[in-house]
Structure formats: C-alpha cells, structure tokens
Amino acid sequence: MAYNSDVRTKARQHFREARKQAFVNEVQGLLSGDPMDLLSFQDVQKRLGLQACAIGHMETVPLKKIVGSEGRYQDFDREFLPLRGDSEGRWENLDAAFQRMENVPPIELYKVGEVYFVRDGNHRVSVARRAGAEFIDANVVECPSRVQLDPGVDVKRLLVEGEHLDFLKRTGLDEILGVDIKLTATGAYDALERHLRGHRYFLGLELGRPVSFEEAARSWYDRVYLPTVEAIRRHQVLERFPGRTEGDLYIWVQEHQYYLRERQGDSVSLDTAAESFADHYGVKTHDRVLRWVVRRLAKIGGAVLAWFRR
C-alpha cells in the first residue's frame, strides 16, 4: 500500500512540475516571439489539402517529431506539457503506470511529411516526454502530401506551406526542375511566380517565338536563379539571415539589385547586390550576441516566475 502511495505522490508532483514548466514555456514564448502552440491536424489537413490516408501500421516514433494533435491541440503546449488543470487525474494515472513500468496501449498518429499528429494518446505522449523518453510505439496512418513538413514547422510556416502547395499546383516547378525551392515568408511564392513569368516574357522576346512555361522555368533556373544563389554563397549571405533559405535570399537580392541599378546604373553586379544587401539588412555579430543574451534572460526570468508559483 505504501508503494502505491509513493507512486501517486510522485505522479502528483510530476504533474505540478509539468504545469509549472508549461507556464515557463509560455513566458519564454512571449518574450522571444517563438510560438509554443501545438499544431491542429485539421488546419494542416485544410492548408495542405490532405485527403486519402493510408492504412495504419506499427512504428516506433521519435517523440520530438510529434508536433500537433487532431483534437487536443489547445490542451498541451509544443512540448506536450499540460495547459489545463482538469486533466490532472488522467495524467497522474498514466504517470503512475509509467513508474510501475506497466504496458500501455500504443498511441495513434497521423504522419505528414516528417512530422506526426496525435490521433489518440495525447496524455501518453505528455507523460512519456516529461519522463525523458525519446521514442514511443504508435499505430501510424500516413497522409501523403506534396509539401513535406519538418519538425520545426509552426503556425506561420504552415500558412507559407499552404501557399507553397498552391504554387506547386499552379506551376509544377518541382517536377520540371527536380528541385523544390523553399521559401519562408508569406507572399514569397507569388513573388517567385512573377519572376518566372517575367523571365518567360523576356525569353520569348529574345528568341522571337512563343516559349512554354517549362522551357522558361529551365532557362530561369540556369541563367538567373543559380547565378544568384552562387553569389549568395560566395559572400556567405545566408549566415546573416538566420531561419531563411537560399530561395528567400534569391528574391531579396534580385530585388535589391534592381533597386541599386535604378540608382547606380546597369553595371551593378549580383556580387555587389548580394554584399550590399547583407551589409544593409543582415544580422551583425553583435546582434546575434544580443539575441542570445535576450534568450538567456528569458529562460532565467521564466525560471524565477516558476519558482514564485510553487
């Protein structure tokens, strides 16, 4: 009987610690601007147009790749820490079972790209993650998607990936080139499409005949996109824009070159534009240090707030 009592006491303490950490995460998210929300599977399904999903199969899944839920995405944060006190009893029962090393049923997941969404078993994921487990057994239902999500996806990225999918449906660029150009800003895929269609128009004038979108896309990739990316790499521009992609920088450097040529003449090269853009808009070394200090202060402040809530 004492053994069971100790287990229940520990389970209760574990739940309280998890709730405190959820509060700390919320404060850190507000201070840093990094979202701590779980993704809604329904939103992903709608944004990416997911339809037929495959029959489930058993799989051992890395817990860090579970980023959302079908129905309980508002009850847990991004680390699956509980946000609501009314789940205490169920959470503690599972924690006690985990301490006693009892077998619990596999959870059920949807898989989209490289990430997973809980179909059933949110509390089991929460308890397992708090206990430090790295993997969990699951019955996985795969939902094919043209856009491959990764574990770093958040709500803003989800909006961009919806635009990404629409862009691929309109242009088929990934199938034409065998390369999927990744962008991170909302509206960026519309800008990329304007670049492609503009190149098609001028290529038609250059050749004196109609040009198909596929021919124009291949020409644009070889004559415009790759030379710009090579200039970006030569000057290590991407290092000055954390979280961005070469595709983002392609659009910005191209537009910056156009701006510079309007002011300085057509002699402005891609290298000059890339270097100028990095100097004017890139994160400097001291800025990166300042951001690191802010993140550290956020963690310290969160820990202090958690201590006062004990």
Side-chain angles (χ1 to χ4, degrees):
M1 185 67 69
Y3 172 77
N4 286 335
S5 176
D6 288 344
V7 168
R8 296 299 303 184
T9 299
K10 286 182 180 178
R12 190 171 300 111
Q13 181 63 26
H14 292 164
F15 180 78
R16 290 174 180 172
E17 290 171 356
R19 290 279 287 122
K20 288 178 183 178
Q21 187 59 49
F23 172 75
V24 171
N25 287 353
E26 183 179 6
V27 173
Q28 287 182 207
L30 289 172
L31 291 173
S32 68
D34 295 328
M36 286 302 298
D37 301 328
L38 272 182
L39 293 179
S40 162
F41 177 72
Q42 287 88 341
D43 284 349
V44 171
Q45 194 173 32
K46 180 179 178 182
R47 299 278 180 192
L48 303 188
L50 304 180
Q51 295 179 359
C53 295
I55 297 174
H57 62 274
M58 290 303 300
E59 186 177 328
T60 300
V61 174
L63 282 161
K64 66 181 180 181
K65 289 192 174 185
I66 303 176
V67 300
S69 175
E70 182 177 30
R72 305 296 293 270
Y73 60 92
Q74 294 180 323
D75 294 352
F76 300 88
D77 72 6
R78 192 60 179 266
E79 295 180 1
F80 270 90
L81 293 169
L83 299 175
R84 296 163 58 96
D86 57 10
S87 64
E88 182 174 2
R90 187 175 180 184
W91 199 98
E92 289 178 7
N93 286 338
L94 285 166
D95 187 272
F98 197 96
Q99 291 180 61
R100 293 191 293 262
M101 293 185 290
E102 296 177 0
N103 289 328
V104 295
I107 64 172
E108 296 183 14
L109 301 173
Y110 294 108
K111 183 178 182 181
V112 182
E114 295 301 316
V115 299
Y116 300 82
F117 298 80
V118 179
R119 187 181 185 187
D120 181 63
N122 294 278
H123 290 82
R124 279 168 277 173
V125 172
S126 179
V127 169
R129 286 199 59 159
R130 194 225 63 85
E134 295 184 6
F135 299 91
I136 194 167
D137 291 332
N139 184 41
V140 177
V141 176
E142 294 202 33
C143 301
S145 170
R146 193 169 183 177
V147 172
Q148 297 298 298
L149 302 183
D150 60 64
V153 67
D154 57 30
V155 175
K156 180 182 176 182
R157 279 274 310 282
L158 184 59
L159 295 174
V160 175
E161 292 299 357
E163 295 177 5
H164 182 190
L165 180 64
D166 291 340
F167 170 80
L168 294 180
K169 287 179 178 177
R170 290 194 305 271
T171 67
L173 188 66
D174 57 335
E175 295 175 346
I176 293 170
L177 301 178
V179 174
D180 188 11
I181 295 172
K182 295 284 190 176
L183 306 176
T184 66
T186 55
Y189 282 102
D190 288 339
L192 183 60
E193 188 170 356
R194 288 195 297 272
H195 282 222
L196 284 159
R197 300 200 182 283
H199 185 80
R200 182 183 183 184
Y201 171 77
F202 287 108
L203 184 62
L205 293 180
E206 177 185 323
L207 298 177
R209 60 173 174 80
V211 174
S212 70
F213 181 82
E214 181 173 345
E215 181 183 3
R218 294 184 188 281
S219 170
W220 165 84
Y221 186 71
D222 292 336
R223 296 171 58 182
V224 184
Y225 182 79
L226 287 181
T228 306
V229 168
E230 287 165 4
I232 289 166
R233 291 172 181 171
R234 276 195 297 274
H235 297 280
Q236 300 178 326
V237 178
L238 192 59
E239 295 180 6
R240 305 276 289 276
F241 295 85
R244 300 301 184 175
T245 67
E246 288 182 340
D248 294 323
L249 269 297
Y250 156 77
I251 293 173
W252 297 338
V253 168
Q254 278 283 318
E255 293 180 354
H256 191 61
Q257 184 187 36
Y258 177 82
Y259 165 76
L260 291 177
R261 284 181 169 180
E262 286 285 298
R263 298 182 62 189
Q264 302 174 21
D266 292 342
S267 62
V268 176
S269 67
L270 279 172
D271 286 280
T272 299
E275 199 166 13
S276 170
F277 186 81
D279 288 342
H280 280 82
Y281 304 108
V283 175
K284 307 293 193 299
T285 301
H286 60 78
D287 293 330
R288 289 199 292 270
V289 172
L290 180 60
R291 290 186 181 187
W292 180 84
V293 171
V294 169
R295 286 197 298 271
R296 293 296 299 167
L297 289 174
K299 290 182 179 179
I300 294 169
V304 171
L305 286 169
W307 186 86
F308 278 111
R309 285 175 62 90
R310 287 189 299 178

